[in-house]
């Protein structure tokens, strides 16, 4: 340690610090920050932009088309890297920054690292009110950047250059913490970005980080093992945390040794190969008859790396009321939900410790046989509904056509609408960790942008593989500009646009609750006198992509082969039926608010029908 210093601007110091932070992934040392996504404005171009230019080789900056989509791309990047690496997003003060609110919320809900470096009003207030500044007369410190406090895990406003000596390491520690992981926000007033400080040179020394593996408490392991060994009908729920902990092999070995069936959450899809005999399918609202059948009968449930969201738990109706839950999770908040028996610690270490404490135990063959038989019936159903020609064009048929032809290591990306349920139900996992269904925030528009970010990360790992995006017409219209980004940056995507003429899955929910179709499908919107379809093929071509329209899933498969062979982004468009072809099996109860009084007898009937299932709901215990 020396007393030597470097005089730098705040912006220069931030970028120099980030460029010297490293991590080892699979034996390779690399920067923990893979670069960033940026749109410049007056709030970040002159100072932060200057610093980024000088570090453009170390921290490549991808030019965004929309700030929200930049955040989605950063989330997709972090998921692909299993939260071991992150990207930053930089936006100008005002609307550029507020556009990042939704993507920060998505990263927060999904527990994903993302660094937000956003412009802010002047600390001196000498030029106030400046362009795009919101004035609060009784609180001049309050600004739009304060809105991010609700959607980030770390938040700071830099009012003096010296503050980053504490703020940057704290932000990085948050993003790399397995329990507290989430977005970090740093507000950068426009004057402070250019102010200088004599920073200790040691602050910029190369540092190699590691992600902590917290060993579980010995007593908690002993209690959990005793409970599991008493089980006659045990079950494992495998969540997304299994992959982030890189505990897939350990969990698979644990289940095999003890003959315990496993079900997957949405975030935990692709924890097991499709043909593993103990893979009983996805659980919950967007689940499978097989997984839900064992969930309602299990007496002890080991929930590993899951936050037990309502789609996983069927709004807490999926399990027997007297079933005991063991929450193995690095996060205390998640491990203790519904009075679960907590085992707080890393999934990889926790599963290994639990296995050692359960030597000699195996679940009864009768129970595991029941689970496997239920799985066989579910697979037969999915095979039937996904077969081309069994009904009109559907999501399920399109999924099957792509699934049959894709490489085992290709990555699938989907998000909001009906596609997450259909992919969760029908995608046949060929290899571990190849599915990204963003249903933590269920965010329309994530699909293409998140796919672009995932492809950037995939290109750094497996450049010869493909990222495959499934999106509906509604999400496409909401946020599609990163088709252009993918072409510009030569990060090829294969995008399936399945057009059902509007927001068909919400129309289905509307109908299923007794309501008349209204304002979801284009054909049912009274303010649209003459509905017409978008020419998605022409639109995608205009952004530089290859594009074609197909009539059915057989043609889609042929088009997919052409897209695999192409050297740039390809968009394949197919119309699907908005009413028919949905998966009708595998759904658990889901609590949605329905009118307690209404003049519509159909709505009243559905309200009472839905409420009748509430008797099965676990109320906090």
């Amino acid at each position: 340690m020396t007393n030597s210093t470097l005089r730098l601007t705040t912006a220069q110091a931030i970028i120099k610090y980030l460029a010297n932070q490293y991590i080892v992934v699979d034996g390779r040392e690399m920067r923990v920050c893979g670069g960033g996504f940026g749109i410049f404005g007056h709030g970040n171009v002159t100072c932060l932009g200057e610093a980024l230019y000088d570090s453009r080789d170390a921290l490549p900056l991808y030019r965004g088309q929309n700030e929200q989509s930049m955040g989605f791309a950063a989330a997709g990047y972090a998921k692909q890297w299993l939260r071991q690496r992150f990207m930053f997003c930089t936006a100008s003060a005002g609307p550029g920054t507020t556009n990042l609110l939704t993507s920060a919320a998505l990263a927060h809900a999904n527990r994903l690292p993302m660094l937000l470096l956003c412009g802010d009003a002047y600390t001196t207030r000498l030029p106030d009110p400046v362009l795009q500044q919101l004035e609060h007369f009784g609180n001049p410190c309050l600004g739009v950047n304060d809105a991010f406090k609700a959607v980030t895990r770390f938040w700071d406003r830099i009012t003096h250059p010296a503050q980053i000596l504490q703020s940057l390491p704290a932000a990085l520690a948050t993003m790399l913490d397995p329990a507290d992981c989430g977005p970090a926000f740093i507000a950068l007033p426009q004057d402070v970005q250019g102010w200088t400080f004599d920073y200790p040179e040691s602050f910029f020394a190369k540092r190699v980080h590691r992600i902590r593996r917290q060993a579980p408490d010995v007593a908690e392991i002993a209690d959990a093992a005793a409970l599991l060994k008493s089980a006659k009908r045990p079950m494992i729920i495998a969540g997304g945390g299994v992959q982030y902990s890189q505990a897939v092999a350990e969990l698979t070995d644990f289940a095999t040794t003890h003959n315990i069936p496993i079900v997957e959450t949405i975030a935990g899809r692709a924890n097991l190969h499709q043909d593993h005999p103990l893979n009983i399918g996805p659980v919950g609202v967007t689940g499978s008859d097989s997984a839900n059948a064992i969930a309602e009968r299990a007496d002890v449930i080991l929930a590993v790396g899951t936050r037990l969201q309502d789609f996983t738990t069927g709004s807490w109706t999926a399990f027997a009321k007297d079933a005991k839950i063991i929450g193995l999770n690095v996060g205390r908040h998640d491990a203790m939900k519904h009075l679960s028996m907590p085992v707080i610690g890393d999934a990889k270490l926790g599963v290994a410790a639990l296995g050692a404490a359960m030597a000699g135990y195996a679940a009864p063959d009768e129970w595991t046989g029941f689970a496997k038989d239920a799985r066989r019936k579910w697979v037969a159903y999915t095979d039937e509904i996904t077969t081309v020609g069994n009904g009109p064009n559907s999501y399920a048929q399109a999924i099957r056509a792509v699934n049959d032809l894709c490489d085992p290591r290709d990555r699938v990306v989907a998000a909001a609408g009906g596609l997450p349920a259909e992919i969760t139900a029908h995608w046949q996992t060929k290899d571990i960790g190849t599915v990204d269904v963003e249903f933590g925030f269920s965010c329309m528009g994530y699909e293409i942008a998140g796919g672009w970010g995932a492809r950037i990360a995939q290109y750094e790992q497996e450049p010869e593989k493909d990222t495959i995006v499934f999106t509906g017409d509604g999400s496409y219209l909401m946020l599609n500009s990163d088709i252009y980004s993918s072409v510009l940056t030569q990060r090829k995507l294969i995008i399936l646009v399945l057009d059902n003429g509007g927001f068909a899955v919400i129309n289905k929910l509307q109908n299923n609750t007794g309501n008349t179709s209204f304002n979801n499908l284009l054909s049912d919107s009274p303010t649209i006198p003459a509905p017409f379809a978008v020419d998605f093929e022409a639109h995608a071509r205009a952004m530089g992509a290859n594009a074609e329209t197909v009539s059915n899933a057989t043609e889609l498969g042929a088009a997919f082969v052409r897209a695999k062979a192409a050297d740039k982004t390809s968009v394949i468009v197919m119309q699907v039926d908005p009413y028919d072809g949905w998966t009708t099996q595998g759904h658990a109860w889901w609590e949605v608010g329905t009118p307690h009084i209404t003049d519509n007898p159909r709505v009243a009937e559905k309200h009472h029908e839905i409420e009748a299932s509430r008797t099965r709901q676990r109320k906090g215990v």
Side-chain angles (χ1 to χ4, degrees):
M1 189 76 69
T2 67
N3 294 322
S4 58
T5 60
L6 290 174
R7 176 161 292 185
L8 298 169
T9 69
T10 304
Q12 291 164 357
I14 289 171
I15 300 309
K16 187 174 182 65
Y17 175 84
L18 287 176
N20 284 287
Q21 308 306 304
Y22 287 78
I23 195 167
V24 176
V25 180
D26 297 331
R28 293 170 54 204
E29 185 178 277
M30 58 192 73
R31 287 185 173 87
V32 68
C33 179
F37 299 97
I39 294 178
F40 288 134
H42 68 277
N44 64 343
V45 67
T46 56
C47 295
L48 194 64
E50 184 263 354
L52 285 167
Y53 177 80
D54 288 341
S55 295
R56 61 192 180 278
D57 293 329
L59 298 173
L61 185 67
Y62 289 85
R63 180 191 177 280
Q65 318 303 327
N66 176 288
E67 291 88 357
Q68 180 173 304
S69 72
M70 293 190 327
F72 291 163
Y77 181 93
K79 276 193 177 187
Q80 174 74 22
W81 274 109
L82 296 177
R83 305 196 308 188
Q84 297 168 100
R85 302 183 73 207
F86 67 86
M87 297 282 267
F88 67 81
C89 296
T90 180
S92 185
T97 287
T98 57
N99 280 347
L100 280 166
L101 269 167
T102 299
S103 41
L106 178 142
H108 189 285
N110 287 280
R111 319 286 169 87
L112 296 171
M114 174 196 302
L115 178 61
L116 305 172
L117 302 173
C118 296
D120 205 340
Y122 289 81
T123 293
T124 64
R125 301 182 190 159
L126 291 175
D128 284 12
V130 298
L131 178 67
Q132 299 175 336
Q133 180 178 346
L134 298 188
E135 295 180 274
H136 290 269
F137 313 126
N139 186 353
C141 293
L142 185 64
V144 296
N145 287 354
D146 292 271
F148 284 85
K149 292 176 180 177
V151 293
T152 53
R153 294 282 193 169
F154 178 89
W155 188 98
D156 198 4
R157 175 179 281 121
I158 306 302
T159 58
H160 188 280
Q163 288 176 322
I164 69 167
L165 292 168
Q166 282 75 39
S167 186
L168 277 178
L172 202 68
T174 300
M175 290 186 288
L176 294 179
D177 188 283
D180 294 338
C181 185
F185 181 91
I186 298 180
L188 297 171
Q190 294 165 64
D191 47 1
V192 178
Q193 286 183 46
W195 290 355
T196 60
F197 184 74
D198 292 331
Y199 291 96
E201 192 170 352
S202 57
F203 181 64
F204 305 107
K206 177 181 176 180
R207 182 178 178 186
V208 180
H209 298 263
R210 62 171 58 93
I211 294 176
R212 182 187 312 108
R213 287 196 181 276
Q214 177 184 339
D217 182 83
V218 173
E220 290 184 349
I221 287 290
D223 289 345
L227 179 57
L228 263 174
K229 289 171 77 172
S230 72
K232 293 180 173 56
R233 297 179 304 281
M235 179 184 81
I236 298 169
I237 300 177
V242 174
Q243 290 182 36
Y244 292 142
S245 176
Q246 296 178 289
V248 168
E250 286 75 10
L251 188 64
T252 305
D253 290 345
F254 175 87
T256 302
T257 299
H258 302 293
N259 200 35
I260 302 175
I262 301 181
V263 301
E264 295 178 327
T265 69
I266 298 172
R269 286 293 274 115
N271 273 325
L272 290 173
H273 288 94
Q274 172 67 20
D275 57 1
H276 192 283
L278 291 170
N279 179 358
I280 311 304
V283 69
V285 177
T286 56
S288 59
D289 278 357
S290 49
N292 290 337
I294 69 168
E296 67 183 14
R297 292 169 175 82
D299 57 357
V300 178
I301 299 162
L302 174 61
V304 184
T306 171
R307 62 194 186 102
L308 294 174
Q309 181 209 38
D310 67 337
F311 264 55
T312 297
T313 66
S315 298
W316 290 100
T317 63
F319 317 125
K321 285 188 176 181
D322 60 353
K324 305 299 183 184
I325 300 174
I326 300 167
L328 171 52
N329 204 294
V330 74
R332 173 179 54 83
H333 175 76
D334 293 319
M336 301 184 70
K337 285 176 178 170
H338 277 238
L339 301 187
S340 297
M341 177 182 287
V343 179
I344 301 170
D346 174 69
K348 191 183 188 80
L349 299 180
V351 168
L354 198 55
M358 290 179 59
Y361 171 81
D365 287 336
E366 181 183 2
W367 166 245
T368 307
F370 168 79
K372 291 178 179 179
D373 186 57
R375 173 65 173 175
R376 282 190 289 271
K377 293 175 183 176
W378 171 252
V379 169
Y381 170 72
T382 63
D383 183 63
E384 179 183 2
I385 196 173
T386 58
T387 298
V388 177
N390 285 354
N393 285 353
S394 67
Y395 286 162
Q397 293 178 28
I399 290 165
R400 172 74 172 273
V402 172
N403 204 170
D404 285 349
L405 295 167
C406 73
D407 185 274
R409 292 299 307 162
D410 286 345
R411 186 168 184 81
V412 178
V413 178
L419 276 164
E422 299 294 313
I423 289 173
T424 299
H426 300 303
W427 188 263
Q428 311 291 296
T429 301
K430 295 182 175 182
D431 209 345
I432 303 301
T434 53
V435 177
D436 172 10
V437 176
E438 193 292 295
F439 227 46
F441 205 53
S442 183
C443 206
M444 293 181 70
Y446 172 81
E447 298 90 338
I448 295 171
W452 180 44
R455 178 57 187 152
I456 292 171
Q458 185 190 44
Y459 195 81
E460 296 169 337
Q461 300 164 297
E462 300 173 303
E464 74 283 2
K465 306 306 179 185
D466 283 305
T467 296
I468 303 162
V469 174
F470 283 92
T471 184
D473 54 305
S475 279
Y476 181 101
L477 288 171
M478 193 167 285
L479 201 56
N480 55 61
S481 56
D482 286 318
I483 293 175
Y484 183 49
S485 301
S486 71
V487 178
L488 283 173
T489 58
Q490 298 182 12
R491 296 297 182 263
K492 170 192 167 184
L493 298 173
I494 300 176
I495 301 170
L496 290 306
V497 182
L498 303 178
D499 180 4
N500 54 29
F503 305 137
V505 73
I506 296 301
N507 178 71
K508 183 162 75 82
L509 175 62
Q510 196 171 46
N511 294 163
N512 288 348
T513 53
N515 289 281
T516 303
S517 294
F518 169 58
N519 211 53
N520 283 311
L521 298 179
L522 298 175
S523 57
D524 297 319
S525 299
T527 55
I528 301 176
F532 65 93
V534 171
D535 188 341
F536 293 108
E537 178 185 337
H539 187 265
R541 286 186 185 278
M543 288 189 282
N546 297 328
E548 57 181 301
T549 302
V550 299
S551 299
N552 53 55
T554 300
E555 292 182 6
L556 185 147
F560 180 75
V561 172
R562 290 190 287 273
K564 289 281 288 179
D567 60 0
K568 69 174 181 178
T569 293
S570 295
V571 176
I572 306 168
V573 183
M574 185 179 82
Q575 287 192 336
V576 296
D577 194 289
Y579 299 103
D580 200 2
W582 296 101
T583 299
T584 56
Q585 295 185 22
H587 302 312
W589 186 77
W590 183 39
E591 181 166 2
V592 292
T594 53
H596 284 230
I597 59 170
T598 176
D599 292 330
N600 186 327
R602 179 63 177 157
V603 172
E605 177 188 349
K606 284 294 181 180
H607 167 72
H608 293 300
E609 180 184 312
I610 291 167
E611 287 298 308
S613 294
R614 189 180 295 280
T615 57
R616 298 185 287 113
Q617 191 172 41
R618 294 167 65 109
K619 294 177 173 60
V621 295

